[in-house]
Amino acid sequence: MIRLLIVAQYIAPTQSIASIRWTKLAKYLHQTGAYQISVLTNEKHYHSDDGNAASKDALLEKEMGVFLRYNVIPDSDALKRYYAIKCRHSVYLHRDHDANVPADPSAGKRMMYEALHDIKDQLQFFQAKAYLRSHPELLECDVLITSYDPLWPHLLGEWIAKRNPAIKWIADFRDPYRSSMTPQINRIYRRNFEKKHVGCASLVTTVSPELLPMLSLRQGQSTLVLPNGYDPEEAIPPAAPRKFTLVYTGTLYSSSVHRSDLTPLFASLAAQMESGVIQRKDVVLQYAGQQGGLFAEQASQYGLGDRVEDLGFLSRQEAAIIRSQAAGLILCTWNTGVDQGIVTGKLYEYMLARKPVFAICTGNQPYSRVYSIFQKTGIGYCCETCRPETLDQLREALTAAYLSWKHTGRPAYVPDDNALADFSYPALAGVLHRAIARL
């Protein structure tokens, strides 16, 4: 039996798209019968409004039975003071894409936020070390998995691996450590982090091939691309939509660095309405999340404001039901010279809905990772704004879906199910299980 310890801030039962990855991989590793899985995570303040507030995901909470031990590191006094400061000054220090925050704070404010975030990681790391010293049984593991973001799990992973070199350490980068949203001075500080602190990891994993060159790894270090995925056991049978309802669930970004731009889709819809191909009364644009104002604003630019339904923030289960009733799903991402290989976790949840997906990928780099996934799986159409010809193709794809719905009651959807299966968590856990066996 392999004793596996997962160190992560985002894991069941916390409601976050980031929590899904290691909860589901753990679930299907456990089903092999080869693992005893324990978790080490930080304290969350559920149903609170302070600087460490969090909500529970009912679907993820059901999966917690796969964990032999679930260990929570209590907040230190220093962390409690940090969260109190964060709560008081969140409007000034929060990330610029969060709800109810000015769209584009100054570089100085972003730098201050990142610096405070790094300080918080150090405080959490110190508290985690103290916790492990009083719970040495957690160090008796065969395989250790740490997941970034945030940083403290990797700092703790390095500390554990150096204390016990026999442990096989897998350092997972769910997100890039440096991106275009990272202020320049912080990028300098972070430049050699991976080589310095993750160099002794047995394996480094990322969610897309494009993220690997963004990591400063030691030469010859073992790597594995392990994408996010979907859990087939969460599938809801698709319903026949009463209207041609296009649904977006999740975050929209409003900064000058990363701006979610849905206007190509709204422009295509408006043009087809104007020509009479699509009847205005048939169309509903639903948004579920915390940035409904931005969604409505972009739709209104093309006279579609009256077609918008803002559902507000929904639980993951509620959002899945909304997607199952849709005629199509809307996705937004970006691909630039600095930020490549960005694949939102929502894409994999969309795969479960078995409805056509219409993606808008902004940025100056063509043939994004999202585009390649669409080409491989056939789940819909990905428009890349840096390739003008894809705008016409987006309009054609929307029209085909509408006419199919109009004539048959369901939008056309013919995916490659074999290709889709590669992104299921049972398949991805199998890839990970084989990688662990090779360590």
Side-chain angles (χ1 to χ4, degrees):
M1 190 69 73
I2 298 172
R3 297 167 299 176
L4 170 62
L5 174 63
I6 299 174
V7 181
Q9 178 157 314
Y10 293 101
I11 199 162
T14 303
Q15 175 160 319
S16 169
I17 196 72
S19 298
I20 299 172
R21 178 174 175 81
W22 284 106
T23 303
K24 297 300 185 179
L25 287 169
K27 170 184 176 178
Y28 287 104
L29 285 177
H30 180 264
Q31 288 187 9
T32 67
Y35 296 87
Q36 289 181 340
I37 304 174
S38 297
V39 166
L40 181 63
T41 190
N42 64 314
E43 181 179 348
K44 314 294 192 308
H45 300 171
Y46 294 110
H47 311 298
S48 168
D49 58 359
D50 66 8
N52 193 23
S55 300
K56 288 186 177 182
D57 183 323
L59 292 176
L60 294 183
E61 195 168 16
K62 293 178 182 178
E63 312 288 16
M64 295 180 65
V66 306
F67 303 132
L68 180 66
R69 298 186 184 90
Y70 191 92
N71 304 272
V72 177
I73 307 164
D75 289 341
S76 64
D77 290 340
L79 279 166
K80 290 176 182 176
R81 287 193 292 271
Y82 167 85
Y83 290 127
I85 293 171
K86 178 183 175 183
C87 186
R88 287 198 301 269
H89 301 285
S90 61
V91 170
Y92 304 103
L93 301 179
H94 235 253
R95 293 185 186 274
D96 55 5
H97 59 255
D98 284 349
N100 305 318
V101 178
D104 200 13
S106 68
K109 287 179 181 176
R110 290 202 306 273
M111 183 176 69
M112 186 184 302
Y113 178 87
E114 296 290 344
L116 286 175
H117 200 63
D118 288 343
I119 291 172
K120 191 269 288 186
D121 273 321
Q122 291 293 333
L123 294 174
Q124 189 68 68
F125 169 50
F126 295 150
Q127 183 69 359
K129 284 196 298 182
Y131 184 87
L132 285 179
R133 287 191 178 104
S134 62
H135 295 79
E137 69 278 3
L138 289 174
L139 298 174
E140 298 173 2
C141 61
D142 304 304
V143 178
L144 168 69
I145 295 174
T146 61
S147 183
Y148 171 86
D149 175 43
L151 194 60
W152 68 265
H154 283 345
L155 294 174
L156 190 65
E158 178 193 25
W159 182 78
I160 294 173
K162 287 183 174 179
R163 287 173 64 92
N164 187 354
I167 291 176
K168 305 300 182 183
W169 174 27
I170 299 174
D172 178 55
F173 284 88
R174 190 186 67 252
D175 292 311
Y177 184 43
R178 295 174 302 281
S179 72
S180 58
M181 294 183 71
T182 307
Q184 188 62 40
I185 190 168
N186 301 86
R187 290 189 212 175
I188 295 172
Y189 163 73
R190 297 179 176 192
R191 184 176 298 158
N192 295 311
F193 171 84
E194 298 94 344
K195 189 178 294 183
K196 181 177 179 182
H197 295 285
V198 189
C200 60
S202 309
L203 180 69
V204 173
T205 58
T206 66
V207 295
S208 70
E210 291 83 359
L211 294 188
L212 282 174
M214 299 171 66
L215 301 175
S216 302
L217 303 178
R218 62 175 172 80
Q219 188 172 3
Q221 189 158 21
S222 296
T223 60
L224 173 69
V225 175
L226 188 69
N228 290 316
Y230 65 88
D231 185 350
E233 293 187 359
E234 290 188 357
I236 298 175
R242 297 180 180 178
K243 291 278 191 176
F244 188 66
T245 304
L246 301 179
V247 172
Y248 187 106
T249 59
T251 301
L252 288 171
Y253 298 84
S254 59
S255 75
S256 59
V257 179
H258 295 146
R259 181 173 176 81
S260 299
D261 186 4
L262 301 174
T263 57
L265 182 138
F266 295 142
S268 296
L269 272 177
Q272 296 305 75
M273 288 179 184
E274 183 71 22
S275 68
V277 175
I278 294 178
Q279 296 182 34
R280 184 182 189 87
K281 65 180 179 62
D282 290 335
V283 176
V284 176
L285 302 171
Q286 285 186 337
Y287 174 78
Q290 294 178 307
Q291 292 81 30
L294 179 59
F295 186 87
E297 173 194 326
Q298 294 189 10
S300 296
Q301 292 177 29
Y302 295 89
L304 301 175
D306 63 316
R307 310 317 299 161
V308 172
E309 292 182 0
D310 186 353
L311 305 178
F313 182 77
L314 301 179
S315 70
R316 204 162 58 86
Q317 191 167 16
E318 291 169 332
I321 294 172
I322 295 299
R323 291 192 293 266
S324 74
Q325 299 168 345
L329 306 173
I330 307 171
L331 187 76
C332 198
T333 187
W334 58 86
N335 196 52
T336 69
V338 177
D339 296 321
Q340 296 190 46
I342 306 299
V343 183
T344 170
K346 285 297 174 188
L347 173 57
Y348 305 103
E349 292 196 322
Y350 282 8
M351 290 177 178
L352 272 180
R354 299 195 68 80
K355 299 293 178 72
V357 184
F358 304 100
I360 310 296
C361 183
T362 59
N364 57 8
Q365 296 295 308
Y367 304 106
S368 61
R369 177 55 44 184
V370 168
Y371 179 81
S372 71
I373 291 174
F374 273 65
Q375 291 295 103
K376 176 181 178 181
T377 61
I379 60 170
Y381 185 75
C382 178
C383 167
E384 296 186 318
T385 57
C386 64
R387 294 195 292 143
E389 70 275 12
T390 66
L391 298 173
D392 292 334
Q393 294 164 5
L394 172 64
R395 186 165 58 250
E396 294 170 2
L398 278 169
T399 302
Y402 172 79
L403 293 176
S404 173
W405 168 80
K406 194 72 172 174
H407 295 147
T408 70
R410 293 183 180 271
Y413 181 72
V414 189
D416 183 333
D417 286 328
N418 290 329
L420 275 177
D422 291 341
F423 294 102
S424 72
Y425 272 116
L428 294 170
V431 172
L432 179 60
H433 175 57
R434 291 187 291 274
I436 290 173
R438 291 193 297 268
L439 294 178

